[in-house]
Amino acid sequence: DLLLSVHGWPKVAQVFRLIDAIEASGIDPCDVAPDHWRHIHNRIAGRQAPRGYSPVRHRAWLQRKALLT
């Protein structure tokens, strides 16, 4: 599944900063909720600032994921 697609260096750099922020909070970007990557894609495409991804949000995703499996 393609969850995020950006073109152009300014947008790519913005995504790198978001990934760095996720890693800084102790979360592996590969484990982030797929919905969050779609959110980032939609916000960047709409020229809006995406919401951050917090450990609280991540725990909620992991609990939801556990219910789905």
Side-chain angles (χ1 to χ4, degrees):
D1 288 337
L2 180 63
L3 303 175
L4 171 66
S5 176
V6 293
H7 301 283
W9 179 246
K11 291 179 182 179
V12 171
Q14 183 180 8
V15 171
F16 284 156
R17 286 190 299 274
L18 294 167
I19 291 170
D20 286 343
I22 289 169
E23 287 178 330
S25 69
I27 299 168
D28 183 347
C30 295
D31 295 332
V32 170
D35 292 343
H36 186 69
W37 294 119
R38 289 183 195 101
H39 162 76
I40 289 174
H41 169 83
N42 291 332
R43 291 293 207 141
I44 290 175
R47 295 190 172 126
Q48 297 178 352
R51 288 187 305 267
Y53 191 77
S54 67
V56 171
R57 225 177 255 268
H58 188 61
R59 277 192 302 275
W61 158 242
L62 293 176
Q63 290 172 350
R64 189 174 95 203
K65 183 175 150 182
L67 290 173
L68 296 173
T69 57

